[in-house]
Every structure is written in C-alpha cells, then in structure tokens.
Amino acid sequence: IRQADTMKSLRLLLAALAVVTAVLADHHEEKPESHDDIIDKLVERTNKITSNVFHIESLLDDRLDEKRIRRAGSLVARVEALEEDSCEDHDHQCGGDDPQCISELFVCDGHKDCRNGEDEKDCTLPTKAGDKFVGDVVYDHCTKRRPDHITLVVESVSTAAFFTPIVDLHVHVEIESETDEDESEVSLPSDAIYSFADHELTVHAPEDDGLGLVGNFDGHNFDRFVGHIVHTISNQPCAEFIFHRK
Amino acid sequence: MKIVLVLLALVAAAMADHHCGTLAGLKVKSEWGRAYGSGHDREAFAQAIWRATFAQAPESRDLFKRVHGEDTSHPEFIAHAERVLGGLDIAINTLDQPETLKEELDHLQHQHEGRKIPDNYFDAFKTSILHVVAAKLGRCWDREAWDHCIEHIEKGIQGH
C-alpha cells in the first residue's frame, strides 16, 4: 500500500511538473519569436508536407508501374492463348473493351484501322541490332546437334518505309554442342522477319535441312519468347527452346 | 575447256534466272493462290498493296481520282483494288498458258494505254506486291520467281 501511495504521489508530481513546463513553454511562446525561428518552422512544415506528397506519389506510381502492368499483361496474354481464337487466321484482335478483327496486314502500317486505334499503338520493334537471346532446350526431336542452348543474335534490322507491318532482320544462330568425341561451335547466318500483328519472329532455315525457328513473344514481355524449331515446309514444330534476353 | 563449260553453265543459270520460265510461273501461280485468299482477307490483301504503292509514289494517287484514290478505305476504291487483283489473278493463273496470257495482257494493255502511267509506278506496284506477299506467306515463297513473273506481266500491260 505504501508503495502504491508513493507511486501515486510521484505521478502527481510528474503531472504538476508537466503543467509547469507547459505554462513555462506557453509563457515562452508569448515572447516575440525571432524571425529565424519562424522561418525554421515553416521550412520544417514544408518539408513534412513535401515528404507526404512524395509518399502519395510513390504509392500512385506503384499502381501505374510499367513493369507491373507488363506482368499483368503477360498473364492476360497467357489466358487469351488458352482461349479459342476470337479472330480468323491472318486476322488480328484489336482487343480492349471493343473487340474487332482486322487484317494482320494493317497492324502498324501507319493507318488507324481499329476503332480503338490499338493497331498503331505498340509499333516499336522489340529487337534491335546487337540484341542477344539465349534459349534453353525444352524438348528436341530434330536438330542435328541436340544442343542444350541456342543463342540468337540480331545483326541488323531494316524496315521498308512504305510497308511497316513486317520488319526484316539479319540474325546469327549460334550453337555450341558437345559429343563424346569433340566440342563444336557454329554460327549460322540467316534472314528473319518480325511481324507486329502476332509478335512473331520467323527465322528462315539457315541450313539446307529446312529447319527454321519461330519465336513468339507474348506481346508484353519482350525479354522472353518461346521458340519452336519447325520444319519450314509443313510448319510442324519438332523442338522447343525458351529464350531470354541477355 | 572446263572453265568454258562452267562459264556456259553460269550464263545459262543467269539467263534462266532472269525470265519468268515455266517452273517459275507454276511456282508463282500456286503461291499466289495462297496469298490471294478469299473474302475479307482478299480485300485486305488488295488494300495493303495499294497503301504500299501510294506510300512509295504519292503522286500516283492522282491517276485514281475517279475511284476515290485519296481514301483507300472508300468503297469505290476497294472495288477498284479488287478489280485490279482480279485482272492480276487471270494473268498469274495463265502464266502456264502463254497464248491465253497474251490475250489477257493485250486486253489489259488496251485498258491502260492513254493513261500516261510512268514506269516507276509499275515498279512501285511490283515492289508492293513483293512485300505484301512476303508478309502474307511468311516462309515458303520464291522472291526471284515473283520478281520475274510480275515484271513479265507488267511489261505486257505497259506494251514495252
């Protein structure tokens, strides 16, 4: 009990002290402040508000973050790829809230064909000279060398000014392979085309075995594509590699 | 002797390469079948060719005032574009029947004479066809064969 009493009086004392300090502080405030003090306070408040604004801005940026939108876009693209095609072959879906099918030949030709203008929106080429993509094997039933990795190097890019839906590329397909006897390395030059309509990169067969490479970007993430080795004539895939930009 | 033979072979190859022979004609005919398509695919194919032509030679639009060349999406121009491809279709499909082809080319020449069409417009049109066909067919098509056979057809229409 004694102890409790002491505690009580101690608290009372503290409270009294606080009141006195407050009064003193008040008293102090009544004195005219120096100009510097006023300015300092203003600066301090401005800083606080600025920091709050920046905080809100960064929260907003998080929502508008391009990477986040791209990631979500890739997911949407994967779901859409699972769905049945909403347009016929050789057609492109304008998408958005206003579905419309237009010809692939009209995508990125400098002429707005979709009602929502989607066909002329994303027309910057995702691959430029010097770009390098390394592909890891998924399965392989047909290549001569059965490599674990294939590297695709973009040597040059050219677009005909009067017909822009298709871009011509010159590429090198680099393959390192190991057999029991030896290691070999080849760099096969070839021509390729990139089509904006389906984000598809088609590499013509670099050798006379008629095996070409068809790479499909998802249209949002241009650092990765799924590449199929196909028989040029039948268009049948016989090997798959997942490519990543280096 | 060997060198002469090799040279002769090269000359023969070069000559074969520079005209629209029977094989080249058959190739173009079959590839055209795939590229030409049907329905609204065909409409787009025709329009793409004309857009690319006008992009190369903007002044050539003036020749098409009567069919609304100022707007390639105008129904009258679309009709015109399809008519042109219709003529080209007959020509390409008769590449393996020289006499019939001659008749068709003479007919087309008659339709074009007096319109004062400069040669470079024909070049632009051929270039457009080659590019749009490449876009449409992707892999399997023989650029050389197309180049020579379209040239052959255009020469027939130009009359020189």
Side-chain angles (χ1 to χ4, degrees), chain A residues 91 103 109 111 113 162 166 235, chain B residues 40 44 51-52 56 127 135 139:
Chain A
D91 271 3
S103 168
D109 70 344
H111 189 286
D113 294 282
F162 54 87
I166 296 283
N235 206 22
Chain B
H40 101 128
R51 283 183 189 179
Q56 288 176 82
T127 307
R139 290 174 309 277

Side-chain angles (χ1 to χ4, degrees), chain B residues 10-137:
Chain B
L10 278 177
V11 169
M15 279 172 67
D17 265 349
H18 283 283
H19 77 282
C20 173
T22 318
L23 264 182
L26 287 172
K27 249 186 189 176
V28 171
K29 184 172 163 173
S30 108
E31 286 164 8
W32 167 261
R34 278 192 292 138
Y36 192 31
S38 60
H40 101 128
D41 231 18
R42 176 173 298 180
E43 201 176 288
F45 179 65
Q47 273 215 58
I49 290 175
W50 281 104
R51 283 183 189 179
T53 306
F54 289 152
Q56 288 176 82
E59 341 73 64
S60 64
R61 275 187 201 264
D62 295 347
L63 285 173
F64 301 93
K65 279 192 181 129
R66 204 175 48 90
V67 289
H68 291 271
E70 74 284 349
D71 172 17
T72 53
S73 314
H74 192 284
E76 279 193 36
F77 190 81
I78 291 175
H80 172 262
E82 295 233 33
R83 259 197 316 275
V84 171
L85 286 200
L88 196 56
D89 185 45
I90 297 177
I92 291 176
N93 275 313
T94 52
L95 277 172
D96 53 347
Q97 303 158 47
E99 287 110 66
T100 323
L101 176 61
K102 178 87 177 59
E103 296 278 322
E104 169 66 6
L105 292 181
D106 285 347
H107 170 70
L108 291 175
Q109 192 209 333
H110 179 68
Q111 285 185 329
H112 285 81
E113 68 190 353
R115 290 197 194 275
K116 296 196 187 80
I117 306 171
D119 288 353
N120 69 310
Y121 290 1
F122 280 95
D123 291 344
F125 190 67
K126 186 183 81 178
T127 307
S128 301
I129 293 177
L130 294 183
H131 273 84
V132 177
V133 165
K136 193 81 186 277
L137 298 184

Side-chain angles (χ1 to χ4, degrees), chain A residues 232-245:
Chain A
T232 303
I233 293 171
S234 63
N235 206 22
Q236 284 299 312
C238 58
E240 184 177 312
F241 289 78
I242 308 285
F243 285 83
H244 290 274
R245 190 188 289 271

Side-chain angles (χ1 to χ4, degrees), chain A residues 106-121:
Chain A
F106 293 160
V107 179
C108 295
D109 70 344
H111 189 286
K112 190 181 131 184
D113 294 282
C114 286
R115 286 184 295 267
N116 61 15
E118 188 268 353
D119 58 323
E120 300 299 323
K121 251 185 224 158

